[in-house]
């Protein structure tokens, strides 16, 4: 095509040469990675002395990201500077502030962050043993430890997924597979058209992601048989319809508002006798099993077939750390089955047989690091401590004349005012204080301030400050 004598032959061309030299320089001597580590260290330490939600100036700084995709490469440090200068201030300070009480977000334990950094450098693909022996080994270790911690039958397996949304999807997919297979129907091959009907049963307070999973699985949310709940949001066993072997029953360990647990000890024997499949959504609450004083809450749940659990909530691991646990290993594997000539399964653990994804980062590293470094006693202390702080908050607020609308059995506190109309204004005032962040919810048709105590960093002194902030905010209404 060209007769230019200076032009190199195809085998010698190297389009990425300049950029690679830059990347080599970034790596050499560790300047870039060490800089990032320093910036992260500053960020973690600064969290307790900045507003929990970014202030107006920090939000205005987001305009700095409003640029077209650059035509030319630039030094990596420029990009990281932008991130630290305008990105860090526009974050919600929840990793170590101890004052973020929205959703059920959990903080970030330093050991988990550090383990993640190392694992990120490894850049492992946890799909197969052959793509990452270390990821497979740590997944196996976490699986064994968690099954013991949660009291699951030996032979139960764990899939490491992004979060409980995916874990619920996987648990219900395994149940759908098994219940239909028992009726002679292979849903993976034959699909749902013409399949025997399954019954879906859930308490009225099932989490939004349960509905999402039901929809994604083609089971249809309209088909859910809703069961009445009591004043704490617990499924009321008296209203449970008669169960049979076509039932997928979805229970909850930890109501996302009240923190309440379904009465497993009463429901599980009925489900077992009927041959139903039970999925327990225990995203944050199933960790009660780690606490000797709270374990009674989830007692009986261990008899279920599948479970969803988040290490990124109560365990304070970084995001993207969910788990599906399944006592029927074969059903989960059948529901997640994949094959291809280039997929080389081993006689070791191949993580992708338990998950929807194939390529996955080695997320088990962080869960493993938290479990190992805290140990049984440290895990108990972490979970028990969250409950103690929630009780401290509820007692302090009740003393100050606020209405506590739930029984504080775990980490959730629902706070009301005699005048419902003032609740949204109270929330606005609390958020504007910059000292903490709380969200709102509707609890049996009344507005409440919803406080989720779920960070390792929340100290007794933080709770005192939160109580003072509530009193100040109310005074200003
Ligand atoms: C958080 C939560 C979920 C969803 O989990 P993600 O990790 O956000 O996907 C499901 N159920 C309950 C009870 C939860 O608290």
């Amino acid at each position: 095509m060209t007769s230019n004598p200076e032009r190199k032959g195809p085998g010698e061309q190297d389009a990425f040469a300049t950029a690679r030299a830059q990347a080599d320089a970034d790596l050499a001597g560790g300047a870039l990675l060490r800089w990032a580590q320093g910036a992260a260290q500053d960020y973690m330490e600064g969290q307790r002395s900045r507003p929990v939600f970014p202030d107006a100036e920090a939000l205005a700084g987001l305009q700095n990201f409003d640029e077209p995709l650059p035509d030319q490469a630039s030094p990596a440090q420029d990009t990281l500077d932008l991130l630290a200068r305008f990105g860090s201030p526009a974050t919600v300070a929840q990793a170590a502030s101890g004052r973020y009480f929205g959703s059920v977000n959990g903080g970030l334990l330093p050991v988990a962050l550090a383990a993640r950094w190392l694992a990120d450098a490894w850049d492992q693909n946890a799909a197969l043993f052959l793509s990452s022996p270390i990821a497979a080994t740590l997944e196996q270790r976490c699986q064994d430890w968690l099954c013991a911690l949660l009291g699951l039958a030996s032979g139960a397996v764990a899939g490491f997924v992004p979060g409980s949304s995916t874990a619920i999807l996987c648990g219900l997919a395994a149940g759908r597979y098994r219940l239909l297979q028992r009726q002679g129907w292979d849903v993976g091959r034959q699909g749902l058209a013409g399949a025997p009907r399954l019954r879906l049963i859930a308490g009225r307070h099932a989490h939004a992601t349960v509905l999402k999973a039901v929809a994604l699985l083609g089971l249809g949310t309209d088909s859910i048989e809703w069961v009445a709940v009591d004043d704490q949001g617990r499924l009321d066993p008296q209203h449970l319809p008669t169960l049979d072997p076509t039932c997928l029953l979805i229970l909850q360990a930890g109501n996302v508002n009240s923190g309440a647990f379904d009465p497993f000890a009463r429901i599980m024997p009925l489900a077992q006798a009927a041959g139903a499949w039970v999925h327990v959504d225990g995203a944050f609450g199933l960790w009660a099993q780690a606490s000797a004083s709270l374990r009674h809450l989830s007692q009986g749940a261990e008899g279920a077939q599948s479970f969803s659990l988040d290490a990124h909530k109560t365990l304070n691991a970084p995001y993207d750390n969910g788990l599906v646990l399944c006592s029927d290993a074969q059903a989960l594997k059948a529901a997640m089955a994949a094959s291809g000539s280039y997929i080389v399964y081993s006689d070791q653990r191949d993580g992708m047989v338990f998950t929807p994804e194939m390529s996955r980062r080695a997320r088990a590293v962080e869960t493993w690091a938290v479990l190992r470094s805290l140990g049984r006693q440290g895990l108990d202390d972490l979970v028990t401590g969250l409950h103690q702080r929630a009780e401290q908050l509820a007692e302090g607020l009740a003393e100050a004349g606020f209405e506590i609308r739930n029984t504080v059995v775990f980490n959730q506190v629902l706070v009301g005012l005699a005048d419902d109309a003032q609740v949204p204004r109270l929330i606005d005032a609390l958020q504007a204080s910059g000292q903490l962040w709380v969200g709102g919810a509707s609890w049996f048709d009344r507005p409440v301030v919803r406080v989720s105590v779920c960070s390792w960093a929340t100290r007794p002194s933080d709770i005192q400050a939160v109580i003072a902030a509530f009193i100040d905010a109310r005074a200003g209404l």
Side-chain angles (χ1 to χ4, degrees):
M1 284 208 319
T2 172
S3 55
N4 183 345
E6 305 215 326
R7 179 105 191 213
K8 288 179 176 161
E12 290 167 76
Q13 288 176 18
D14 188 0
F16 200 65
T18 310
R20 186 179 308 104
Q22 181 64 54
D24 283 341
D26 286 341
L27 211 48
L32 186 74
L33 296 185
R34 267 185 243 286
W35 182 89
Q37 192 186 25
Q41 176 73 26
D42 291 347
Y43 176 77
M44 289 298 274
E45 283 176 3
Q47 275 183 69
R48 293 182 65 82
S49 52
R50 54 155 275 193
V52 175
F53 194 83
D55 59 19
E57 189 190 338
L59 292 176
L62 289 171
Q63 286 167 3
N64 290 283
F65 295 98
D66 189 4
E67 57 178 349
L69 178 65
D71 286 326
Q72 301 298 328
S74 58
Q77 186 67 51
D78 286 359
T79 294
L80 285 167
D81 281 340
L82 190 64
L83 207 52
R85 183 149 173 234
F86 298 109
S88 295
T91 55
V92 173
Q94 62 172 42
S97 74
R99 301 272 185 94
Y100 182 83
F101 302 99
S103 298
V104 192
N105 275 2
L108 175 55
L109 279 164
V111 67
L113 172 60
R116 178 163 184 163
W117 280 345
L118 186 55
D120 278 350
W122 294 345
D123 191 29
Q124 297 292 281
N125 184 343
L128 299 165
F129 181 85
L130 285 176
S131 61
S132 182
I134 178 61
T137 301
L138 296 183
E139 285 191 1
Q140 184 67 39
R141 196 54 52 237
C142 287
Q143 176 181 295
D144 294 348
W145 286 350
L146 285 170
C147 288
L149 197 69
L150 303 174
L152 305 191
S154 69
V157 291
F160 293 79
V161 295
S164 279
S165 302
T166 317
I168 295 167
L169 184 73
C170 295
L172 296 186
R176 181 183 69 169
Y177 166 82
R178 177 59 78 213
L179 296 182
L180 288 175
Q181 178 268 335
R182 285 191 191 135
Q183 299 186 64
W185 189 270
D186 180 344
V187 68
R189 280 193 306 110
Q190 296 172 277
L192 281 174
R197 262 189 77 83
L198 293 181
R199 290 173 60 205
L200 278 162
I201 299 165
R204 285 232 170 258
H205 281 198
H207 195 269
T209 54
V210 167
L211 294 170
K212 186 186 273 200
V214 167
L216 280 168
L217 287 168
L219 296 170
T221 53
D222 279 357
S223 73
I224 297 175
E225 297 173 40
W226 293 107
V227 186
V229 294
D230 68 12
D231 63 349
Q232 300 299 313
R234 293 174 294 215
L235 187 148
D236 186 343
Q238 287 180 357
H239 293 281
L240 195 65
T242 305
L243 301 175
D244 64 53
T246 69
C247 290
L248 269 171
L249 173 61
I250 301 155
L251 301 179
Q252 189 163 261
N255 179 295
V256 79
N257 286 320
S258 70
F261 291 64
D262 284 343
F264 302 109
R266 290 185 59 194
I267 302 170
M268 289 306 299
L270 302 172
Q272 257 152 8
W277 180 284
V278 180
H279 179 87
V280 173
D281 178 15
F284 66 95
L286 203 56
W287 294 106
Q289 290 275 6
S291 161
S293 59
L294 298 172
R295 197 168 292 151
H296 64 97
L297 293 168
S298 44
Q299 202 187 346
E302 61 279 354
Q305 279 66 39
S306 58
F307 306 84
S308 37
L309 183 66
D310 277 327
H312 58 222
K313 291 180 179 168
T314 315
L315 203 62
N316 282 249
Y319 278 108
D320 191 27
N321 267 301
L323 289 131
V324 55
L325 293 148
C326 190
S327 64
D328 183 343
Q330 207 263 328
L332 183 61
K333 282 187 183 175
M336 302 295 138
S339 61
S341 62
Y342 76 104
I343 304 175
V344 184
Y345 290 111
S346 68
D347 56 1
Q348 313 271 341
R349 180 188 171 90
D350 291 313
M352 68 173 274
V353 306
F354 307 115
T355 60
E357 309 130 287
M358 182 172 176
S359 301
R360 281 177 306 131
R361 67 182 196 88
R363 54 171 68 96
V365 173
E366 296 115 50
T367 302
W368 169 83
V370 175
L371 293 174
R372 184 177 187 282
S373 68
L374 288 182
R376 276 185 183 273
Q377 188 59 52
L379 292 166
D380 190 324
D381 294 344
L382 174 66
V383 178
T384 306
L386 300 178
H387 174 58
Q388 288 171 338
R389 296 287 70 72
E391 278 193 313
Q392 181 195 351
L393 179 68
E395 280 166 21
L397 289 177
E399 244 167 63
F402 291 90
E403 297 177 6
I404 305 301
R405 295 273 169 77
N406 65 321
T407 307
V408 180
V409 294
F410 200 55
N411 69 324
Q412 300 288 116
V413 185
L414 301 178
V415 189
L417 294 172
D419 179 4
D420 283 347
Q422 293 210 314
V423 173
R425 292 172 54 211
L426 178 68
I427 294 172
D428 286 348
L430 287 167
Q431 291 177 350
S433 78
Q435 289 191 56
L436 71 157
W437 202 92
V438 288
S442 171
W443 186 243
F444 290 101
D445 297 326
R446 295 190 69 181
V448 287
V449 188
R450 184 182 168 287
V451 190
S452 180
V453 184
C454 50
S455 173
W456 66 275
T458 304
R459 300 149 170 75
S461 57
D462 288 310
I463 298 295
Q464 280 165 10
V466 168
I467 294 166
F470 265 82
I471 293 170
D472 278 357
R474 184 183 54 188
L477 289 179

